[in-house]
Amino acid sequence: MNLQSELNKSSLFQNLELLASQVVEGFISGIHKSPFHGFSAEFAEHKIYNKGESTKHIDWKLFAKTDKLYTKRYEEETNLRCHMILDNSASMYYPEVEKLGVNNLNKIGFSVLAIAALMNVLKKQRDAVGLSVYSSSYHNYFPEKGSERHHQMLLAKLSEISQEENLNKETKTYTYLHQIAENIKRRSLVFLFTDMFQSTLDNKALFDALRHLKHNKHQVVLFHVLDKGTELNFDFDNSPKRFVDVETGVHIDLYADTVKKDYENKLHTTIEELKLKCAQYKIRYVDVDVASDFSKILNTFLIEKHKF
């Protein structure tokens, strides 16, 4: 059986854990292990004993067999705490997708699979992971834990979210980011998946909320998730179209070419302002296209974990 073929044919999020494992496998094989060594229960390798070193880690059983002195090295038990934040508002269900697939994702589908892939890495490293989900309210908070039961509970919640229908859920991102920031008590690596769209344009409040995420010395990464073809480049043909605000239901009828230039200028200005504020607050800004693979997500994680 061709596993990838079967995954592509089946409902994507019925296989979330398996698919997340496959996403990770191609990018971090051989990289995810900690380069540091401590005193955990998981054995890493032997090394030749050098005169003058401590004798407490000598493998005496191996000495009895080989008559040579070797010491044991162990994988370090990492203490990373990671908190995932997922924007589950109506705009994240764009573009409209009849059936989610690896090569056919909307913003919520891409974000759910990216979080599952990161959880897969964290699980291998025995690190703690938490999850916050917000839309019209801040309705899901799971504190950072590293147990298998907790991992399965988060996967189940992510699968449930991916299969929800778009119910015109408005959001005030800045309100819920403040609440989430208050909930994350211990220093953590924080990943925020959002398209940064909201029904009210209060940029100062939004930037203040982003800054709040940095309290307690958290390390924050903003994954700005967009369908770049249409949302960034406004790539529509010039036939009459009705554009609908998925959060408020407000619509406008027009030809795409008549607003394309103004739209691109306005969005470019908004994104540049966001990048500037992220740089000012020492938040890592990462632009993400739902049509791309997950290499940028995973590479960013590896870099930020190293810095953390």
Side-chain angles (χ1 to χ4, degrees), residues 199-218:
S199 54
T200 57
L201 294 174
D202 190 342
N203 285 345
K204 183 182 184 305
L206 183 58
F207 295 148
D208 285 346
L210 286 174
R211 183 169 57 181
H212 192 181
L213 281 178
K214 287 287 292 182
H215 89 305
N216 284 346
K217 298 182 179 179
H218 298 314

Side-chain angles (χ1 to χ4, degrees), residues 96-229:
E96 192 172 301
V97 175
E98 185 175 339
K99 183 179 179 181
L100 289 172
V102 182
N103 300 313
N104 190 35
L105 292 169
N106 55 15
K107 290 183 284 187
I108 196 69
F110 184 96
S111 300
V112 162
L113 186 48
I115 290 173
L118 292 173
M119 284 172 50
N120 181 279
V121 182
L122 291 161
K123 178 183 177 181
K124 290 177 185 293
Q125 296 176 318
R126 302 177 299 278
D127 291 326
V129 60
L131 174 68
S132 287
V133 184
Y134 68 89
S135 57
S136 55
S137 63
Y138 175 25
H139 46 266
N140 291 115
Y141 166 68
F142 302 91
E144 300 82 21
K145 295 180 182 179
S147 69
E148 176 63 23
R149 181 181 178 184
H150 181 73
H151 181 83
Q152 292 301 324
M153 182 173 62
L154 295 190
L155 283 175
K157 172 52 64 177
L158 291 170
S159 293
E160 176 188 322
I161 289 169
S162 70
Q163 296 172 59
E164 290 179 355
E165 293 184 2
N166 179 2
L167 298 175
N168 294 96
K169 297 171 289 188
E170 294 186 56
T171 189
K172 293 182 179 178
T173 296
Y174 51 85
T175 299
Y176 306 124
L177 289 186
H178 281 299
Q179 295 175 15
I180 292 168
E182 291 297 328
N183 274 336
I184 308 174
K185 304 298 184 184
R186 295 176 60 185
R187 183 172 180 258
S188 301
L189 182 54
V190 179
F191 292 114
L192 169 59
F193 289 83
T194 177
D195 57 10
M196 297 301 288
F197 291 143
Q198 51 187 358
S199 54
T200 57
L201 294 174
D202 190 342
N203 285 345
K204 183 182 184 305
L206 183 58
F207 295 148
D208 285 346
L210 286 174
R211 183 169 57 181
H212 192 181
L213 281 178
K214 287 287 292 182
H215 89 305
N216 284 346
K217 298 182 179 179
H218 298 314
Q219 191 167 311
V220 180
V221 178
L222 168 59
F223 287 116
H224 192 190
V225 186
L226 294 172
D227 176 40
K228 289 189 176 180

Side-chain angles (χ1 to χ4, degrees), residues 4 7 12 15-24 102 113:
Q4 185 61 55
L7 283 170
L12 175 64
N15 302 286
L16 183 56
E17 183 172 22
L18 181 58
L19 188 57
S21 179
Q22 283 209 324
V23 167
V24 170
V102 182
L113 186 48

